[in-house]
Amino acid sequence: MALIDSNTGKTIRSYSIQELRDAANLMRGYDLVALCAAGSGHSGSTLSIMDIAAALYLHVAGHDPKNPSWPHRDRILWSAGHKAPALYVALGFAGFCPLDDVVTLRKLYSPFQGHPHWLRLPGVEVSSGSLGQGLSVAVGMALAARIDGKQHKIFCLMGDGEQQEGQVWEAAMEAGNYHLDNIVAVIDRNRLQIDGWVKDVMQVEPLADKYASFGWEVLHTDGHDMQQLVETFARARATTGKPTVILADTVKGKGVSFMENQPGWHGKAPNREELTAALNELGVANLIPVEQLLEKAKTYQAEVDLKLAAKMPGFKRDYWWNAGDTMKVQMEPTRKGFGKSLAENGGDERVVCIGLDISGSITIADFYAGKPERANRWISMGIAEQSATAAAAGLAREGKLPVLGSYATFSAARNLDQLRVSVCYGNFNVLIAGAHAGVSVGADGATHQALEDLFAMQGMPNMSVVVPCDAIETRKATDYLLLKHVGPKYIRFAREATPVVTSESTLFVFGQANVIRLRAETANFAEGFETRLASNYATESEDLTIVAIGPMVPEAMRAARILKLDYGYETRIVNMHTLKPIDSDAVIRAARETGVVITAEEHQIGALAWRVSSLLTESRKLYGQSIITGAIGVKDRFGDSGAPWDLVKELEVSAEHIAQKALELMAIKKVCWVRTSVAGLTLDQLISRASAAQQADAEVTAAR
Ligand SMILES: Cc1ncc(C[n+]2csc(CCOP(=O)(O)OP(=O)(O)O)c2C)c(N)n1
């Protein structure tokens, strides 16, 4: 087996062991150049798996780069999707795609997404990124091959930390039960995961005994010895009657001394100096056109910038964050507020924090950092979101105040049934953190961007949901939810730094919205606004309302600035930090008093928009009153890799998009107000009058 011409059956190219070694080394170089150009990504384990990737793609697997969907090809699944760059350079070396293009890794619109997506890049078998699912997919493919009488193999690449996911063992049981000898699983056993050594985070060994007990053939190899690797793959191919797992001992960061065995290099890309040092160590500095590749990445990003600029609604001035003297704002990641609160309130002996192998970056580790006396209340569960969620219910049943968190996609989606039955049905006092939510994980791509979590979280009876707007509000919300609120509670916050628009003195009252009003154009953007509890706010007959949650609150404030300065419109911003229970009075009053309501959410449209619509539909106070509504949010699509602020533009969740929608609705409002003259008009006529009014607004702007 090797690279095959599927038409003739002839070998396209065969590699000697030495050529495979050299290729793997060069692939490591290309991998690091792409990571450096991306500015983020996974150095450590793309280096640990590179010899395995070279052996598989260039020698072991039978496949045709010119015919990626050849039905008889061997399939290679990357269950560990974060190692995508290693997959991409392997595809490049094998001829599936131009190797140089891999340097557009993690940029907007690139086929080289942060995690692999088979619909974007030929040669990728399935999309992955949520750990622990690949072996189940392999079982399905293996069963399909058996039904169809096909002879190909299905290789499935996993990490050792990944073995902590329960689903892996369900799939192992299935493969053993059905004697799926067409499956070859490979475990990149580098013994590290994000939070540290696998044995310290959650022991998975003895893996050999575990797989053997499920009816698997277990093979061992040094994952960096090319000769051994190739021989082990040959033995796996020859195994009959049962599936095979190859335990490949590897070193995370292999080949670059300062990355080897360093947990800090798991999710980090080298900077320019580190890249040079790494390429020198690998001995490939002169074999790769580094400058040319980095330039290519820059040119690609410049084209993306132009495309995005062309798509953005334009206004008289540049109102982007920190653009002019009056748009100055401090930026801080909201997750910092979560960590601060846990550090401050974690002294309460009832608080127990659960680690899910992403503890530093989501700041849950701040609970115990520098506080050894809390060590017994820190429980590392590894990459096992489902079991940890039910365990949290158990802790709560015994009077503890458990806190668990991960990327929102894993802490509020992967574990949905456990949340529903074990936590919510039992009405337990569990705090769930949906960290890195929305587009803020940027370059990681669609698999890691939670854009749907709020549907399910607010849909579950007993669950309360808070979506704070900045780091300060996140701290206050966590203070409240952790110690004062009783029952299941979900807090959603972001990874990227976002504007700080509240202050220590801004009120945060659970379940009660705040009204924010623009008062002046100040040098410090946030200081130009006044905030009051919605229940204490008396109408100022504003032109329109924007109801916003989370990071869309600062965007709504920016939109209010655009609407006031360019068009003279007054906006009532409702910061609906508590999505559930929602402050219905604040919504209905705003609708009645302004007649125009726009919702703004950094989520699929509906978590906020449909909730607000249902309030408007249900309310008797609005009988007979026409309310003009609009919704800003993600429009039923997955995200993409890219810089977070690029994604805000691409997914149309910026202040500019809110303002554009507001102008459209204000034009309708103007027409509706001259009701007598519109009686009897068709909808088309109404819309055409509205666009004439909008045009008139544009002329006012132009004339200024
Ligand atoms: C379900 C799920 N939970 C959490 C993550 C975040 N995550 C990405 S990589 C990783 C650690 C993986 O460790 P391991 O399997 O040992 O791989 P390696 O160390 O080789 O990178 C985690 C927790 C994820 N991608 N999917």
Side-chain angles (χ1 to χ4, degrees):
M1 285 290 178
L3 295 168
I4 293 167
D5 181 331
S6 53
N7 284 324
T8 61
K10 287 195 179 135
T11 299
I12 299 171
R13 172 167 180 194
S14 49
Y15 282 77
S16 68
I17 294 295
Q18 188 52 46
E19 283 172 331
L20 287 174
R21 283 186 197 122
D22 293 344
N25 210 34
L26 200 49
M27 284 160 69
R28 286 191 167 90
Y30 274 92
D31 169 52
L32 292 175
V33 174
L35 287 164
C36 175
S40 66
H42 299 85
S43 300
S45 53
T46 50
L47 295 178
S48 70
I49 205 166
M50 205 60 92
D51 297 300
I52 296 167
L56 259 179
Y57 279 81
L58 303 178
H59 179 79
V60 175
H63 50 189
D64 180 356
K66 300 286 172 275
N67 185 7
S69 43
W70 177 39
H72 300 293
R73 72 194 183 282
D74 289 325
R75 276 64 162 166
I76 308 172
L77 309 186
W78 289 66
S79 185
H82 61 289
K83 308 185 191 196
L87 156 64
Y88 300 149
V89 290
L91 288 175
F93 265 74
F96 284 84
C97 61
L99 181 60
D100 287 5
D101 287 1
V102 179
V103 81
T104 64
L105 176 73
R106 295 183 147 239
K107 299 199 189 306
L108 198 58
Y109 314 128
S110 170
F112 304 99
Q113 292 283 295
H115 291 78
H117 190 22
W118 81 284
L119 296 172
R120 296 280 277 270
L121 186 66
V124 174
E125 289 293 347
V126 289
S127 308
S128 57
S130 178
L131 292 169
Q133 302 194 21
L135 197 57
S136 300
V137 179
V139 165
M141 287 180 152
L143 288 168
R146 180 176 285 177
I147 291 165
D148 294 343
K150 290 190 186 144
Q151 299 306 313
H152 60 262
K153 294 281 182 192
I154 294 108
F155 297 93
C156 179
L157 307 182
M158 296 182 283
D160 49 355
E162 187 179 0
Q163 305 303 304
Q164 292 154 356
E165 283 288 1
Q167 185 181 346
V168 170
W169 299 102
E170 294 178 27
M173 178 175 63
E174 291 154 5
N177 181 66
Y178 288 110
H179 305 282
L180 296 176
D181 54 10
N182 46 0
I183 288 185
V184 180
V186 183
I187 298 178
D188 177 10
R189 189 157 63 164
N190 57 38
R191 298 179 196 274
L192 272 176
Q193 54 187 119
I194 298 180
D195 282 356
W197 296 101
V198 175
K199 69 177 170 44
D200 299 330
V201 175
M202 176 59 66
Q203 179 62 282
V204 296
E205 297 292 347
L207 285 174
D209 294 350
K210 287 178 182 168
Y211 272 95
S213 72
F214 278 102
W216 287 58
E217 175 73 8
V218 181
L219 302 177
H220 294 266
T221 183
D222 175 337
H224 301 307
D225 181 327
M226 197 55 80
Q227 184 71 47
Q228 252 194 59
L229 263 174
V230 165
E231 286 167 12
T232 310
F233 273 120
R235 283 175 58 202
R237 195 180 274 288
T239 303
T240 54
K242 50 183 172 174
T244 301
V245 62
I246 298 176
L247 300 178
D249 287 326
T250 57
V251 173
K252 211 159 171 171
K254 176 71 181 174
V256 180
S257 60
F258 57 91
M259 294 183 185
E260 285 189 4
N261 288 322
Q262 298 300 318
W265 278 99
H266 171 87
K268 192 172 136 189
N271 62 27
R272 190 65 186 81
E273 292 74 48
E274 289 160 342
L275 175 66
T276 306
L279 296 180
N280 283 332
E281 277 198 30
L282 290 166
V284 297
N286 296 328
L287 304 177
I288 300 175
V290 179
E291 288 311 321
Q292 208 177 304
L293 289 173
L294 295 178
E295 204 45 47
K296 185 180 172 98
K298 270 194 204 145
T299 309
Y300 179 90
Q301 182 61 43
E303 282 163 13
V304 167
D305 293 346
L306 282 179
K307 260 190 215 162
L308 286 176
K311 283 176 65 162
M312 285 294 282
F315 294 96
K316 204 77 184 141
R317 282 160 44 182
D318 182 358
Y319 287 102
W320 198 256
W321 295 117
N322 289 315
D325 290 344
T326 58
M327 296 303 295
K328 298 267 172 255
V329 80
Q330 185 207 336
M331 299 263 187
E332 198 185 355
T334 40
R335 60 193 160 121
K336 301 269 181 201
F338 178 67
K340 260 186 211 153
S341 176
L342 292 182
E344 278 165 25
N345 299 306
D348 188 311
E349 290 291 328
R350 294 169 303 163
V351 176
V352 175
C353 287
I354 296 175
L356 296 173
D357 195 32
I358 183 83
S359 308
S361 101
I362 71 159
T363 73
I364 197 170
D366 292 2
F367 164 73
Y368 68 85
K371 298 182 174 65
E373 71 282 7
R374 296 184 187 174
N376 67 330
R377 291 186 285 119
W378 168 257
I379 303 175
S380 173
M381 289 282 199
I383 316 167
E385 297 83 359
Q386 299 172 47
S387 179
T389 301
L395 283 159
R397 178 72 177 87
E398 299 299 333
K400 305 294 178 199
L401 296 178
V403 183
L404 65 98
S406 181
Y407 282 83
T409 41
F410 309 133
S411 64
R414 172 107 193 188
N415 53 348
L416 203 47
D417 193 40
Q418 285 78 6
L419 281 173
R420 182 174 175 271
V421 176
S422 293
V423 176
C424 285
Y425 189 41
N427 199 18
F428 286 126
N429 215 352
V430 177
L431 174 57
I432 302 115
H436 297 3
V439 301
S440 70
V441 284
D444 278 345
T447 51
H448 284 53
Q449 292 159 3
L451 298 174
E452 306 82 14
D453 52 311
L454 291 172
F455 287 138
M457 290 302 110
Q458 68 175 328
M460 283 185 289
N462 294 337
M463 181 72 94
S464 294
V465 179
V466 177
V467 191
C469 71
D470 67 6
I472 296 176
E473 200 168 78
T474 305
R475 203 206 68 232
K476 291 177 190 168
T478 311
D479 290 351
Y480 169 78
L481 290 173
L482 181 67
L483 296 183
K484 300 206 177 87
H485 187 79
V486 178
K489 44 219 165 173
Y490 179 62
I491 183 166
R492 181 189 206 248
F493 52 87
R495 181 182 200 290
E496 180 70 1
T498 51
V500 178
V501 290
T502 69
S503 68
E504 288 302 329
S505 61
T506 311
L507 278 178
F508 170 83
V509 182
F510 174 79
Q512 290 197 44
N514 283 338
V515 165
I516 306 174
R517 293 278 288 119
L518 174 63
R519 297 301 185 200
E521 192 184 15
T522 47
N524 177 320
F525 174 83
E527 281 172 6
F529 291 83
E530 186 195 359
T531 302
R532 300 235 194 100
L533 266 189
S535 52
N536 291 340
Y537 179 75
T539 182
E540 296 176 11
S541 302
E542 303 93 319
D543 298 293
L544 73 146
T545 299
I546 304 171
V547 183
I549 51 171
M552 292 306 276
V553 172
E555 292 304 310
M557 292 165 75
R558 215 157 59 78
R561 176 78 83 87
I562 298 173
L563 292 166
K564 171 75 176 165
L565 297 186
D566 277 16
Y567 300 92
Y569 291 139
E570 294 288 346
T571 305
R572 181 184 307 186
I573 300 155
V574 177
N575 173 5
M576 194 59 76
H577 51 66
T578 308
L579 182 61
K580 187 185 174 190
I582 197 164
D583 184 343
S584 54
D585 264 12
V587 172
I588 288 158
R589 277 187 51 212
R592 210 173 47 203
E593 290 164 1
T594 69
V596 173
V597 177
I598 301 172
T599 53
E601 54 197 314
E602 190 226 25
H603 187 274
Q604 305 290 351
I605 288 179
L608 177 65
W610 299 344
R611 187 71 195 95
V612 165
S613 304
S614 75
L615 293 177
L616 301 182
T617 312
E618 283 164 19
S619 173
R620 289 167 169 239
K621 293 182 181 155
L622 297 173
Y623 280 173
Q625 186 169 347
S626 68
I627 308 294
I628 304 161
T629 56
I632 294 296
V634 181
K635 300 186 181 83
D636 193 22
R637 59 162 284 189
F638 281 105
D640 204 296
S641 282
W645 289 105
D646 282 0
L647 287 164
V648 165
K649 296 176 182 171
E650 168 65 15
L651 298 179
E652 302 177 359
V653 288
S654 73
E656 285 75 6
H657 293 97
I658 302 174
Q660 186 185 45
K661 175 60 75 183
L663 292 179
E664 182 192 324
L665 301 189
M666 284 307 297
I668 302 265
K669 180 176 177 175
K670 279 184 191 165
V671 176
C672 287
W673 272 6
V674 264
R675 268 169 202 271
T676 43
S677 66
V678 297
L681 290 188
T682 65
L683 185 62
D684 281 351
Q685 286 167 324
L686 201 65
I687 289 171
S688 105
R689 284 213 187 175
S691 46
Q694 211 171 347
Q695 176 66 25
D697 273 345
E699 280 162 20
V700 173
T701 310
R704 271 196 206 154

